[in-house]
Amino acid sequence: MKIWQAANGELRRVLEGHVFDVNCCRFFPSGLVVLSGGMDAQVKIWSAEDANCVVTFIGHKGGILDTAIVDRGRNVISSSRDGTARLWDCGRSACLGIIADCGSPVNGIAVGAADNTINLGSPVKVPSEREIGTEGKMLLLAREDKKLQCVGLWSRQPVFLFVGSDAFNCCTFLSGFSLLAGTQDGNIYQLDVRNPRVPVQVIHRSGAPVLSLLAYRDGFAASQGDGTCFIMQQDLDYVIELTEADCDPVYKVSTWEKQIYTCCRDGVVRRYQLSDL
């Protein structure tokens, strides 16, 4: 992994230690620490200041496909090709439990605070005191077997299971009850956790896989396998296209204030500056 100075594209740090591909990486809220997951089935925590790997979590039996950070980052979650999502204690580099065992690769996960009208259930056994910030949270799992699953993070109890048109690749929360999930055949499902059986809407712009989804201002940003990347403002019914990627898949879209970053199979990270929408 490489850490770049965003303002000028200067390379600041190289984080070396994973074997094979690195599938996902993100900063902790502090901006000083990085969480990563790789095809070596390892989840790692790094110092962005000196590039040292300070923690390695071992326990998954397949490549890591996504990660999520709970609150300020005392706990993190990983999902894997082995079909599980695990909760980890960063301070003790230990697994606090398997949140879900799906029997199918979990391609993407998202954590969100639940609206207080949603019943997340109660845990069967008392959670460890090392669990920090899991209460009142939902965990969303985008599964390879065409299922989108939601569980209570603290309770481990099921909230809903939705069957889509194809494998789910990615998911994100828009609010305490609204969420998006993208499939391999180009559908973006908007669901309401309070009534998940029927989608609020299904957005379909092309048949290319939806690879990344991100809540952004009053709407969301999405990227697809045909090189398209766009921002959709929900109230305005208004789409901004982010061009340049040609036909190469855009794997991930990320935002910081008015900047949007994309990473593409052509090896380029692109930065877009957005004026006020």
Side-chain angles (χ1 to χ4, degrees):
M1 285 169 293
K2 296 180 178 180
I3 298 178
W4 306 85
Q5 186 74 34
N8 59 12
E10 178 191 341
L11 180 60
R12 297 296 300 273
R13 299 283 184 274
V14 178
L15 311 182
E16 294 181 293
H18 278 292
V19 185
F20 312 125
D21 295 11
V22 182
N23 288 336
C24 48
C25 56
R26 64 177 74 239
F27 282 102
F28 279 77
S30 68
L32 302 174
V33 187
V34 173
L35 177 68
S36 68
M39 286 306 285
D40 55 7
Q42 296 182 7
V43 180
K44 290 178 177 285
I45 296 176
W46 311 76
S47 164
E49 297 176 293
D50 61 15
N52 278 334
C53 177
V54 291
V55 174
T56 299
F57 298 120
I58 296 174
H60 278 294
K61 296 179 176 62
I64 311 301
L65 299 176
D66 202 5
T67 59
I69 293 171
V70 182
D71 274 4
R72 290 177 305 181
R74 302 270 293 276
N75 295 164
V76 299
I77 305 167
S78 57
S79 71
S80 165
R81 292 181 65 85
D82 67 11
T84 66
R86 291 174 180 255
L87 181 70
W88 304 93
D89 175 355
C90 295
R92 292 186 179 165
S93 55
C95 182
L96 291 171
I98 294 175
I99 306 295
D101 190 348
C102 304
S104 170
V106 182
N107 294 322
I109 53 175
V111 173
D115 186 86
N116 55 20
T117 60
I118 296 163
N119 179 13
L120 297 179
S122 300
V124 175
K125 60 180 184 180
V126 179
S128 160
E129 77 245 0
R130 300 289 300 178
E131 279 196 31
I132 311 291
T134 57
E135 205 164 349
K137 302 279 197 324
M138 300 176 283
L139 177 66
L140 198 56
L141 304 109
R143 296 168 34 168
E144 183 71 21
D145 61 1
K146 305 184 183 181
K147 291 173 183 166
L148 182 70
Q149 181 178 358
C150 184
V151 297
L153 183 53
W154 183 66
S155 69
R156 318 286 205 264
Q157 298 298 318
V159 177
F160 74 78
L161 187 67
F162 177 84
V163 180
S165 56
D166 204 344
F168 280 98
N169 291 328
C170 52
C171 53
T172 191
F173 283 101
L174 297 177
S175 71
F177 55 82
S178 182
L179 61 93
L180 295 174
T183 61
Q184 186 69 12
D185 60 357
N187 286 327
I188 299 173
Y189 289 89
Q190 183 181 351
L191 298 180
D192 187 320
V193 179
R194 300 165 300 185
N195 180 24
R197 287 189 295 278
V198 180
V200 177
Q201 63 174 333
V202 181
I203 299 158
H204 185 93
R205 301 188 76 224
S206 81
V210 181
L211 300 179
S212 179
L213 287 167
L214 184 70
Y216 185 68
R217 300 194 184 173
D218 297 329
F220 67 91
S223 70
Q224 293 189 258
D226 58 1
T228 56
C229 188
F230 60 91
I231 300 162
M232 190 169 278
Q233 296 297 103
Q234 286 193 305
D235 299 341
L236 304 173
D237 196 27
Y238 167 63
V239 177
I240 298 171
E241 298 275 358
L242 304 180
T243 59
E244 281 277 309
D246 204 13
C247 296
D248 279 307
V250 178
Y251 293 127
K252 192 81 175 174
V253 57
S254 191
T255 62
W256 176 255
E257 294 175 346
K258 291 181 184 177
Q259 323 265 332
I260 294 209
Y261 297 85
T262 62
C263 67
C264 178
R265 194 174 66 182
D266 62 9
V268 179
V269 176
R270 293 177 172 85
R271 180 176 64 157
Y272 301 85
Q273 176 79 36
L274 290 186
S275 56
D276 289 318
L277 298 180

